[in-house]
Amino acid sequence: MRDPGSETGELAQANGRTSGGSRRQALARTRAFSKRLFEQGSVANGRLVVVTFLFVGVACLFGIDELRAYMPIGIDLEIPLRAVSHWAIGGPAYPPSAMLVQSGPDLPYLYPPFLLPLLSPIAALPRDVVTGVWLILGLLGAAWTCRRLAMPWPAIPLVLAWPPFAEGLITGNIQILSFAAFAALLCEPAGGTFRQRAFVPARDALNGVLAGAVGVLKVAQLLTVPYLARRRPWAAAIGIVAMAVLAAATLPLTGLDIYRDYLAQLKRAADP
């Protein structure tokens, strides 16, 4: 006759093996699900992306009113237009006193002097019309950039509501179009995603102009030119020449002294 104690022990061991096996199976299932969840292209990952986009996008949409409360519409366009108006009547475009302004349309103008004569005719137009057209252009440029990066149409409104995009769209910041030039230079859609563009000789002129356009108004963003120069030196040279021609063509209207004022203002801006 078997010892009841030994039967109890065997039963406990069997239960332990069953419990241990269940835990291992549960752990394996959890690991497999986590792998599918974060594996790009899987169904689970696609659902995660959709849910994340919806959650973040809706949160951003609710935050747009807050952005508008402390960021006046079109303010980043009004700043250069106001500087152009001062310059057109003989006033300084880069007054040192502008560095004391903390907010509003009288913030310092920090774009290159060659932009002044180009914007002068625009500054004479009705401001509401100019601002409206500029904001629409920024919105179209932002949407085009999203498509260039292979974002699906339903996701684009949520992406544009994301503060780094929404802030630029509300204030009319040139960075929206600079980013569009950046995407046009380096990226192209391919099979539902995007890939880096190949720099072919037939597009040297286009690529050079795009590389220059990324940083033509903000020198710190001209890294696209040396990046292109490593791959297509002639294309980078075209971009540099295009910027030089633009500056030279406006030099009779701006003169050289204003470039010293420009560099001095940049130095003041870099030394708060």
Side-chain angles (χ1 to χ4, degrees):
M1 188 172 185
R2 298 184 62 183
D3 184 2
S6 65
E7 291 182 358
T8 302
E10 291 174 359
L11 181 61
Q13 290 178 0
N15 289 337
R17 286 193 296 271
T18 302
S19 176
S22 299
R23 286 196 296 269
R24 285 192 294 272
Q25 290 176 359
L27 182 60
R29 287 195 296 268
T30 301
R31 288 176 176 173
F33 174 74
S34 298
K35 183 178 180 180
R36 291 195 305 272
L37 187 64
F38 296 103
E39 182 181 358
Q40 291 188 350
S42 67
V43 175
N45 182 257
R47 292 172 179 171
L48 175 64
V49 170
V50 171
V51 171
T52 304
F53 256 118
L54 289 174
F55 178 78
V56 175
V58 170
C60 291
L61 285 172
F62 279 110
I64 287 180
D65 285 341
E66 184 177 351
L67 282 176
R68 291 180 59 188
Y70 68 90
M71 290 185 176
I73 295 176
I75 185 68
D76 287 336
L77 175 63
E78 179 63 25
I79 292 170
L81 290 181
R82 190 164 293 197
V84 168
S85 298
H86 293 164
W87 172 78
I89 60 175
Y94 304 99
S97 60
M99 301 306 302
L100 301 176
V101 180
Q102 299 297 317
S103 62
D106 290 317
L107 284 166
Y109 169 75
L110 298 175
Y111 293 146
F114 61 73
L115 187 62
L116 294 169
L118 299 179
L119 287 182
S120 185
I122 297 175
L125 298 175
R127 194 71 96 231
D128 290 343
V129 174
V130 171
T131 302
V133 171
W134 180 250
L135 294 180
I136 291 172
L137 182 62
L139 179 62
L140 294 176
W144 181 90
T145 303
C146 291
R147 291 298 296 164
R148 186 75 173 183
L149 298 176
M151 295 182 188
W153 281 110
I156 290 178
L158 303 181
V159 174
L160 298 186
W162 182 44
F165 249 132
E167 178 180 335
L169 291 172
I170 292 171
T171 61
N173 197 294
I174 188 61
Q175 196 65 26
I176 296 292
L177 298 184
S178 295
F179 184 45
F182 179 87
L185 173 67
L186 298 178
C187 306
E188 63 183 1
T193 182
F194 71 91
R195 65 186 178 193
Q196 183 171 342
R197 285 180 68 231
F199 297 131
V200 297
R203 296 180 178 175
D204 277 352
L206 174 62
N207 291 335
V209 171
L210 287 173
V214 173
V216 67
L217 297 182
K218 297 185 178 182
V219 180
Q221 296 178 177
L222 277 177
L223 292 176
T224 49
V225 174
Y227 178 85
L228 181 61
R230 292 184 58 190
R231 292 152 179 83
R232 295 294 307 165
W234 278 112
I238 291 173
I240 294 172
V241 169
M243 290 187 289
V245 168
L246 178 62
T250 58
L251 197 58
L253 299 174
T254 62
L256 283 174
D257 289 343
I258 196 171
Y259 279 88
R260 286 193 285 269
D261 296 339
Y262 167 59
L263 294 176
Q265 194 78 313
L266 289 183
K267 184 178 179 180
R268 285 188 286 266
D271 185 18

